[in-house]
Amino acid sequence: MPILDGAQHSLTALWARAVAAWHEGVAAVVRSVQPTEENAWLADAQIKLYRQGSRYAMLLVPVGAFFVAEACEPWVSREMRYGWWGVLATVCLAFFAIERRMLAKPVETLSDLRHQARVFLALNIAFLLAWCSMGAFLWAPGEPVDNMLIVLVLACSLAGSTAIAAVHPASALCIFLMHAVFILAPPAFSAWPLDHTLAWLSGIFIVLMAGQAVALNASTTKMLTLEHERAGMLDGLLKAKAESDRDRERAASASRAKSQFLSNMNHELRTPMNAILGFSELMKSVPTGPEKNAEYASIIHDSGKNLLALIDGMLDLAKIEGGKLYLRESDLSISHLISEAVMEVEQTAQSKNLSLARNVPRGLPMVHGDERGLRQIVTNLISNAVKFTPPGGCVTAFARLEADGRICFGVEDTGIGIAPEDQTQVFERFGHGRHDVTTADKGTGLGLAIVKGFAEAHDGEVLLESEQGLGTRVTVTLPKERVVPTYARSAVA
Ligand code: ATP
Ligand code: MG
């Protein structure tokens, strides 16, 4: 029969919806006391909203309860009335005090939140037991006015609490169960027919209130979800804005660095170029003796050398910064590189009356790296030390094997030192310390940038320790993977 089939179909659909709603309801109750990482925010927001609505209720309830107890004076004994009121007032004050203490503690982890939700629920159950027990303490069998008064007060409290507690499913469920027991049980088990009518009416009222609570819970959950999403979006927007501000600042500083670089390059290229052009012009147009010729030729030669060093340095840096540096790796001796670099500057050091020393232990293991790059590091560091150490000072090139297997090498001097505020800048291209104005042999400012670039290309790091007026120590540390094990060398040998 199609009509019967249709009805059966609708009933099945209704049943399925009821079962789904039941499951959803149970899940919501569990979620509000046992939240997971994903829905912790919801449980937290539910508790906060519920607390907001019932903040001072625990102080007002004993006052209202006193009047209710007094209203039952004609039918209920003094002991019963004050006994009930005393228990209720004590529970309310304890609730208030415990909740205050709980509020003072920050909720930082999921287990904090779960603990808070459970304590909150336990407090609610204790309060509801004390409050709803008026249905037992103040109930005078066979006294219709008393009975109606009690049912009316409990029905009003159910309606009021539904409005506040619907947001927190577990608390709302307790409110319903407790009110239902104390509103329904006394009239239902009474011998008076009027009480039975009262029980029926109360039952219908409770069902209506339950529907109201479910609808209210759905709308507040939706509101909290929207608020959560809005906060998330706002957070995302703020992060994106901060990121874009950072990008803009980076682009602006890159553009500033580019302009600075071009102006530096302009200056650094022009100075030796002008010298070359000027002195060669002089040699060409003005007849000069062989002595002058040799002097001019030497200036032209030095300027050419400077230009070549500048171009080499720029090319190295461009390769390092563009990630295009190709390391021709082999096993090499740092000790050997240091000896050669020291020999190169020996004459200059002598002319400046500097003592030049080597502090390299015997049997220092070889390292696996790019010979040209590591030589450049040592040469740049020694030439800096010689350049920035006044006559009478001391320059020491050192190398050692660290206890953790890494290898360190570098140069220390007793020179003019670098001011703390310049110690980062000197590693930048064309980065000079402020004392350079007073240095006659002013370089291009690429040396340390190249040292850093080559060290990092070898997965190493550079440490600069310097104190103005006392000296400078620059240490390059290469990882232990770069150190050639001694047995490997003997095997090769
Ligand atoms: P370049 O090495 O390109 O010829 P430079 O020596 O001036 O020029 P870097 O080697 O990069 O450039 O050094 C940068 C700056 O760091 C120097 O100008 C100097 O101010 C400071 N500096 C470097 N080494 C020392 C040192 N040993 N003592 C004092 N100051 C130093
Ligand atoms: Mg230098």
Side-chain angles (χ1 to χ4, degrees):
M1 283 268 241
I3 296 180
L4 274 182
D5 279 356
Q8 200 179 2
H9 191 259
S10 323
L11 270 177
T12 321
L14 206 67
W15 175 249
R17 273 172 55 190
V19 171
W22 166 258
H23 283 305
E24 175 46 35
V26 172
V29 169
V30 174
R31 217 167 32 223
S32 62
V33 276
Q34 187 70 12
T36 57
E37 285 289 353
E38 294 85 61
N39 52 45
W41 65 268
L42 180 62
D44 189 40
Q46 285 173 335
I47 294 176
K48 279 192 184 128
L49 203 62
Y50 182 17
R51 274 166 141 185
Q52 230 169 31
S54 61
R55 191 171 296 164
Y56 296 107
M58 289 305 128
L59 296 180
L60 295 176
V61 166
V63 180
F66 182 76
F67 289 111
V68 174
E70 280 306 288
C72 295
E73 193 248 37
W75 314 286
V76 183
S77 69
R78 173 192 287 258
E79 291 76 30
M80 282 296 227
R81 283 183 288 129
Y82 290 141
W84 170 72
W85 185 81
V87 171
L88 177 67
T90 314
V91 170
C92 285
L93 290 179
F95 190 129
F96 188 75
I98 296 174
E99 203 199 4
R100 287 267 119 169
R101 246 191 44 206
M102 219 165 73
L103 264 182
K105 280 190 201 152
V107 177
E108 277 161 2
T109 61
L110 182 63
S111 72
D112 285 352
L113 181 65
R114 285 181 175 172
H115 175 72
Q116 192 192 55
R118 274 183 234 134
V119 172
F120 195 55
L121 187 68
L123 288 175
N124 266 304
I125 292 174
F127 163 71
L128 284 165
L129 257 177
W131 168 253
C132 293
S133 66
M134 79 168 72
F137 281 94
L138 305 183
W139 186 269
E143 294 293 348
V145 180
D146 167 85
N147 298 169
M148 273 196 252
L149 179 76
I150 298 300
V151 169
L152 193 71
V153 171
L154 284 178
C156 286
S157 99
L158 174 61
S161 339
T162 304
I164 301 170
V167 61
H168 192 249
S171 302
L173 180 70
C174 291
I175 286 172
F176 269 89
L177 290 179
M178 221 64 95
H179 278 82
V181 169
F182 285 97
I183 293 178
L184 294 178
F189 294 110
S190 162
W192 302 88
L194 185 68
D195 283 348
H196 295 160
T197 317
L198 208 58
W200 274 110
L201 287 174
S202 306
I204 294 170
F205 177 74
I206 289 170
V207 171
L208 285 176
M209 279 293 117
Q212 180 90 5
V214 170
L216 215 62
N217 178 265
S219 63
T220 35
T221 306
K222 198 165 171 187
M223 182 197 86
L224 290 175
T225 310
L226 285 175
E227 173 60 26
H228 179 66
E229 283 170 4
R230 192 192 63 89
M233 267 160 56
L234 200 69
D235 206 34
L237 273 175
L238 287 176
K239 275 195 192 125
K241 184 176 176 306
E243 183 63 28
S244 105
D245 284 354
R246 265 199 301 277
D247 282 351
R248 224 187 18 248
E249 179 48 40
R250 242 177 268 148
S253 98
S255 152
R256 274 198 302 273
K258 199 170 122 197
S259 319
Q260 180 72 32
F261 169 70
L262 287 177
S263 97
N264 278 326
M265 271 308 273
N266 190 17
H267 171 78
E268 300 296 342
L269 285 173
R270 264 174 202 282
T271 317
M273 222 26 163
N274 283 342
I276 292 172
L277 291 176
F279 284 102
S280 55
E281 183 73 39
L282 212 63
M283 284 167 81
K284 201 172 74 182
S285 49
V286 187
T288 49
E291 225 172 80
K292 275 283 169 207
N293 265 353
E295 189 193 331
Y296 293 166
S298 148
I299 293 173
I300 291 171
H301 180 80
D302 285 351
S303 300
K305 246 172 66 179
N306 281 350
L307 263 181
L308 188 65
L310 176 68
I311 290 165
D312 278 349
M314 281 316 301
L315 288 179
D316 279 341
L317 271 179
K319 279 190 210 150
I320 290 167
E321 283 168 15
K324 301 230 163 60
L325 185 74
Y326 173 68
L327 297 182
R328 289 167 182 276
E329 297 188 1
S330 60
D331 292 351
L332 52 100
S333 159
I334 290 286
S335 165
H336 191 64
L337 290 186
I338 287 180
S339 303
E340 282 180 358
V342 166
M343 256 154 55
E344 259 177 48
V345 292
E346 226 154 31
Q347 252 192 349
T348 325
Q350 255 173 22
S351 66
K352 277 187 80 178
N353 192 22
L354 295 178
S355 86
L356 204 52
R358 258 177 105 257
N359 181 7
V360 182
R362 277 173 160 274
L364 186 78
M366 307 247 272
V367 297
H368 190 70
D370 179 272
E371 184 170 348
R372 193 179 70 88
L374 296 179
R375 185 188 297 278
Q376 189 80 56
I377 292 179
V378 179
T379 315
N380 286 2
L381 293 182
I382 289 204
S383 82
N384 276 355
V386 170
K387 183 160 49 166
F388 297 107
T389 304
C394 185
V395 171
T396 312
F398 60 87
R400 62 176 183 272
L401 187 68
E402 294 286 61
D404 59 8
R406 296 183 302 162
I407 205 161
C408 289
F409 62 96
V411 178
E412 63 185 355
D413 61 57
T414 55
I416 54 180
I418 305 171
E421 58 273 28
D422 291 341
Q423 290 186 7
T424 322
Q425 175 189 313
V426 291
F427 284 103
E428 284 165 17
R429 281 185 294 188
F430 304 113
H432 290 289
R434 57 202 56 196
H435 50 70
D436 282 353
V437 216
T438 56
T439 314
D441 180 12
K442 191 173 175 296
T444 52
L446 295 181
L448 285 181
I450 292 173
V451 166
K452 189 162 180 270
F454 273 126
E456 285 171 0
H458 283 83
D459 309 311
E461 52 196 47
V462 185
L463 174 71
L464 170 74
E465 297 158 282
S466 185
E467 213 163 310
Q468 264 185 304
L470 287 180
T472 303
R473 182 193 299 134
V474 185
T475 312
V476 175
T477 309
L478 296 183
K480 60 172 184 271
E481 293 72 31
R482 290 258 165 217
V483 179
V484 181
T486 325
Y487 66 81
R489 266 200 302 137
S490 30
V492 171

